[in-house]
Amino acid sequence: MRVMGIDPGGAVTGYGIVDGEPQAPLHCVVCGCVATRSGSPFEQRLKLIYEEIAGLIRCHQPQQIVFEEIFVSRNVRAALQLGQARGAALIAAIQADLPIFYYAAREVKLALTGYGASGKEQVQSMVSGLLQLDLADRPLDTSDALALAICHHHRTASSFRLQGDTR
């Protein structure tokens, strides 16, 4: 199963696609970030996020897409921009008619590191180890997106095992 994780942000949107059968090791298909220019009009930044995510979906054909659940922020402006960036990426997924799933950050951290309050660097280290990738020079948004995809893939594989499906 091919799963795309998206970690949206107004300045940087991380993405990562993993692939693998429920009983087999995962591998990274593609990962990276959509980086927007802070001086650009925000509408143009949203357009870029949408276009890049839509292009990745067309090119790599994920079967499911995973987003981090929205968390409450004290900075209202940042929260609004995050929501709008998430909306741009969501529209790309919706237009591709893909199933969309959501996980809380704590849930992803717990699934990958065993500790729901892990730091981003800890998550990056675990993702690097699981996928045998060197992510040290990549933005943390990339490893966060991959972590979402890995978490969902593992949850789905566990569900198959519980149902007796050995696909």
Side-chain angles (χ1 to χ4, degrees), residues 63-109:
Q63 295 162 295
Q64 299 178 340
I65 301 205
V66 185
F67 286 87
E68 187 175 287
E69 285 183 354
I70 296 287
F71 60 90
V72 178
S73 172
R74 289 185 179 168
N75 183 336
V76 176
R77 183 170 186 220
L80 284 171
Q81 287 186 342
L82 172 64
Q84 291 172 329
R86 183 178 192 233
L90 265 170
I91 292 297
I94 291 166
Q95 284 188 329
D97 202 27
L98 293 171
I100 300 167
F101 299 87
Y102 305 92
Y103 290 93
R106 290 184 68 82
E107 186 177 4
V108 174
K109 291 174 182 181

Side-chain angles (χ1 to χ4, degrees), residues 29-139:
V29 175
V30 67
C31 65
C33 288
V34 179
T36 63
R37 291 192 183 145
S38 60
S40 298
F42 196 67
E43 297 80 12
Q44 291 301 313
R45 294 162 70 184
L46 294 175
K47 181 180 178 203
L48 177 63
I49 292 167
Y50 165 78
E51 289 173 344
E52 291 290 323
I53 297 299
L56 288 161
I57 291 169
R58 277 192 305 278
C59 181
H60 298 287
Q61 300 290 303
Q63 295 162 295
Q64 299 178 340
I65 301 205
V66 185
F67 286 87
E68 187 175 287
E69 285 183 354
I70 296 287
F71 60 90
V72 178
S73 172
R74 289 185 179 168
N75 183 336
V76 176
R77 183 170 186 220
L80 284 171
Q81 287 186 342
L82 172 64
Q84 291 172 329
R86 183 178 192 233
L90 265 170
I91 292 297
I94 291 166
Q95 284 188 329
D97 202 27
L98 293 171
I100 300 167
F101 299 87
Y102 305 92
Y103 290 93
R106 290 184 68 82
E107 186 177 4
V108 174
K109 291 174 182 181
L110 181 63
L112 263 69
T113 69
Y115 180 55
S118 298
K120 288 182 172 280
E121 291 79 10
Q122 229 178 331
V123 171
Q124 184 182 55
S125 176
M126 185 60 78
V127 169
S128 293
L130 287 169
L131 296 176
Q132 298 180 355
L133 285 175
D134 182 7
L135 296 170
D137 294 335
R138 304 254 187 149

Side-chain angles (χ1 to χ4, degrees), residues 4-23:
M4 180 177 204
I6 300 175
D7 181 31
V12 178
T13 293
Y15 62 84
I17 300 177
V18 298
D19 196 4
E21 295 304 315
Q23 304 296 328

